[in-house]
Amino acid sequence: MLVIRREYQLAIQKRKYRTVIAFICGLIVIILMIMGLASTDWLMADGWRQGLFMYCIADDAQQPLPFNVQEASGCYPSRNENYIHAAAGLCIITLITDLVATVLTGLGLRTKEHHTKYKYYRFGVIVMGLSLVSILIALIIYPVCFAAELNLGNRKIWEFGWAYGVGWGAAIFLFGGVVLLLCDKESEEIYYKERKIVHDNDSRA
């Protein structure tokens, strides 16, 4: 009996480590998404920087400007393109859903009641999975739709900036968090069932 209890304690400790790592992944994603949403370095060319909410024109930008923009140097609200608005909206959804999933994971870590813990993890992994899907769609539609208007770019060289890379970094951390929470949710369910069986056997004895 002591061996079984010790194995349970070791299993609990391992699950807690996985959940803590998933919680940290969620916090990192929050930081990365705020950086990505605030930056104008999603798409870059000579004298041009474009983000999800603003684009900026350098003082020495070569004419004609990309996408037939007729503006002086400075930063302006994003162009009225559906793919830019869609990517921005999906990134906001990613931030909100990841925040909710991280809170649920934290609540799961705090509670000691295994059934409640399992419910938190179950909803947490669903919400974090939604967050992962949202950022992946945003990261795919942004370059694909940009390629469709490349003939209006008026630049030979275009590159995706660090903010776009931050989006992929957030996707990687989200994927890791989903996998860890999924494993922990399943092991929590198994542990809960096994613990109930052991408890029932002890009661009969």
Side-chain angles (χ1 to χ4, degrees):
M1 197 64 176
L2 291 175
V3 174
I4 294 175
R5 289 181 178 176
R6 186 172 182 181
E7 289 178 353
Y8 279 152
Q9 290 176 353
L10 291 174
I12 291 172
Q13 195 171 20
K14 290 179 180 179
R15 289 200 303 273
K16 187 173 182 180
Y17 287 150
R18 287 199 298 264
T19 311
V20 168
I21 295 174
F23 179 77
I24 294 173
C25 286
L27 293 178
I28 293 174
V29 170
I30 293 172
I31 297 172
L32 292 178
M33 291 310 303
I34 292 174
M35 292 170 59
L37 286 167
S39 175
T40 57
D41 289 339
W42 275 65
L43 191 63
M44 304 172 67
D46 182 26
W48 178 274
R49 291 184 293 116
Q50 177 177 297
L52 297 177
F53 298 101
M54 298 185 71
Y55 67 88
C56 297
I57 304 169
D59 293 334
D60 56 349
Q62 182 182 355
Q63 300 291 332
L65 293 172
F67 314 113
N68 298 320
V69 172
Q70 303 293 329
E71 301 286 357
S73 60
C75 293
Y76 304 90
S78 64
R79 296 181 298 117
N80 190 25
E81 296 292 336
N82 290 333
Y83 79 92
I84 298 177
H85 298 325
L90 287 167
C91 286
I92 292 175
I93 291 173
T94 299
L95 175 60
I96 294 173
T97 51
D98 175 69
L99 179 60
V100 173
T102 303
V103 171
L104 289 171
T105 304
L107 292 174
L109 282 169
R110 288 190 61 183
T111 184
K112 294 182 179 179
E113 209 283 311
H114 294 285
H115 182 66
T116 304
K117 186 186 293 287
Y118 167 73
K119 290 174 64 177
Y120 280 134
Y121 292 164
R122 181 180 63 184
F123 288 115
V125 73
I126 292 173
V127 177
M128 191 169 284
L130 176 61
S131 184
L132 175 60
V133 171
S134 298
I135 189 61
L136 287 176
I137 294 175
L139 293 171
I140 291 171
I141 65 172
Y142 195 85
V144 170
C145 294
F146 163 70
E149 63 170 359
L150 189 58
N151 59 326
L152 301 175
N154 295 323
R155 296 289 189 273
K156 291 183 178 180
I157 300 176
W158 286 89
E159 61 183 5
F160 292 100
W162 65 267
Y164 182 75
V166 160
W168 280 108
I172 293 172
F173 280 106
L174 278 171
F175 178 78
V178 168
V179 171
L180 290 169
L181 280 180
L182 191 61
C183 293
D184 203 60
K185 180 184 76 68
E186 292 178 353
S187 62
E188 188 68 39
E189 182 180 15
I190 294 171
Y191 171 74
Y192 178 74
K193 291 179 179 178
E194 290 179 347
R195 184 174 179 272
K196 186 176 181 182
I197 292 171
V198 172
H199 180 73
D200 291 342
N201 290 336
D202 289 344
S203 297
R204 292 173 184 174

